[in-house]
Amino acid sequence: MKFIETPSLEYINSLLDAIEFGDQAISGKLEAYSCKMTADDKRLFRSLEQQHAEGSLSRSNSLDQGSATSPNSPIGDLADHQTRKKLVHLIATLNASYPDYDFSNAKAESFTWRTGAEYMHMVKNSIMTTLAEADTSLGSSVNLCEQLWQQIESEISPAECDIFSYIPDTDSDPLSDGKIWSFNYFFYNHRMKKVLFFTCSCTRISSSFGLPTDGGLGDG
């Protein structure tokens, strides 16, 4: 995945950079990526293809013994080449957004997938509700939630998108460690060959230093 420099997102990202209210701090970012694979993405894809081939052989052996398992996953049938390619795009987006961490071992079960206008509105309402208090703290002149969704609509046309969510392992994943809540949405527009990634998290502010109690990142 290649990061797309998007000047129109700079202002909304400056708002999301650090919002403090009460004893909580919210931090988030909105980033655009081209679905064109980098060299690292291609290596990841080859590795996933090898894992699939080995899994297919294992399932074939299990079938011979009458105990085959299905390759279905929350993001679709992993026997489908295009589904595996989607998985690579999602993992590669995480790797590009958080270069200090390696998500290459993330499984399809760590993601959810929905599509359609009804679900798009559910995601919108969820984001608006989650950020409502932060929006209020910035004041009516800012209208964080309204500007945020306007940018999402402008950049990716969410009604056309498959919408994925990454749900990290709360025990070990850097995107959940120490968070009160977090979410990671991928708006995947096939026509545009583009992903808009929106990640946001909330941490507790240390009363003694006025800083977040952890230095981690931002689905829960």
Side-chain angles (χ1 to χ4, degrees), residues 17-143:
D17 185 50
I19 306 170
E20 296 185 4
F21 56 95
D23 65 345
Q24 298 177 19
I26 288 178
S27 180
K29 57 184 177 180
L30 195 61
E31 297 176 333
Y33 290 89
S34 162
C35 289
K36 183 176 181 179
M37 284 190 176
T38 64
D40 286 342
D41 299 343
K42 291 176 181 177
R43 280 193 290 271
L44 176 61
F45 186 62
R46 287 194 294 269
S47 174
L48 187 64
E49 291 295 275
Q50 178 62 33
Q51 292 176 37
H52 172 70
E54 293 171 355
S56 295
L57 179 60
S58 175
R59 285 192 296 274
S60 177
N61 291 336
S62 296
L63 182 60
D64 291 339
Q65 299 171 20
S67 59
T69 56
S70 170
N72 284 341
S73 77
I75 65 169
D77 186 351
L78 290 176
D80 185 341
H81 173 86
Q82 291 303 318
T83 299
R84 300 195 300 276
K85 195 169 183 180
K86 285 180 189 176
L87 179 58
V88 170
H89 286 154
L90 297 173
I91 294 173
T93 298
L94 289 172
N95 282 338
S97 187
Y98 295 110
D100 292 337
Y101 297 91
D102 185 0
F103 296 88
S104 299
N105 292 323
K107 304 300 183 185
E109 289 74 20
S110 296
F111 299 89
T112 64
W113 168 44
R114 296 290 186 276
T115 190
E118 182 178 354
Y119 184 71
M120 184 268 290
H121 287 297
M122 288 175 59
V123 168
K124 176 182 178 181
N125 290 337
S126 176
I127 292 172
M128 301 299 106
T129 301
T130 303
L131 296 179
E133 194 169 358
D135 197 348
T136 300
S137 73
L138 290 173
S140 58
S141 61
V142 176
N143 290 323

Side-chain angles (χ1 to χ4, degrees), residues 116-213:
E118 182 178 354
Y119 184 71
M120 184 268 290
H121 287 297
M122 288 175 59
V123 168
K124 176 182 178 181
N125 290 337
S126 176
I127 292 172
M128 301 299 106
T129 301
T130 303
L131 296 179
E133 194 169 358
D135 197 348
T136 300
S137 73
L138 290 173
S140 58
S141 61
V142 176
N143 290 323
L144 170 65
C145 290
E146 181 179 337
Q147 291 199 63
L148 172 64
W149 195 255
Q150 285 177 350
Q151 287 298 322
I152 291 173
E153 288 188 323
S154 174
E155 292 298 326
I156 203 69
S157 300
E160 299 180 10
C161 292
D162 287 346
I163 303 176
F164 297 86
S165 178
Y166 176 62
I167 305 174
D169 181 342
T170 56
D171 294 328
S172 61
D173 197 291
L175 296 189
S176 64
D177 184 30
K179 306 297 184 294
I180 299 172
W181 56 257
S182 66
F183 57 73
N184 303 280
Y185 285 115
F186 306 77
F187 297 87
Y188 191 149
N189 190 308
H190 296 266
R191 177 182 60 81
M192 299 171 71
K193 298 181 180 179
K194 178 178 174 181
V195 170
L196 189 67
F197 179 51
F198 179 35
T199 179
C200 194
S201 66
C202 181
T203 55
R204 191 80 61 189
I205 298 174
S206 168
S207 58
S208 56
F209 298 103
L211 296 171
T213 56

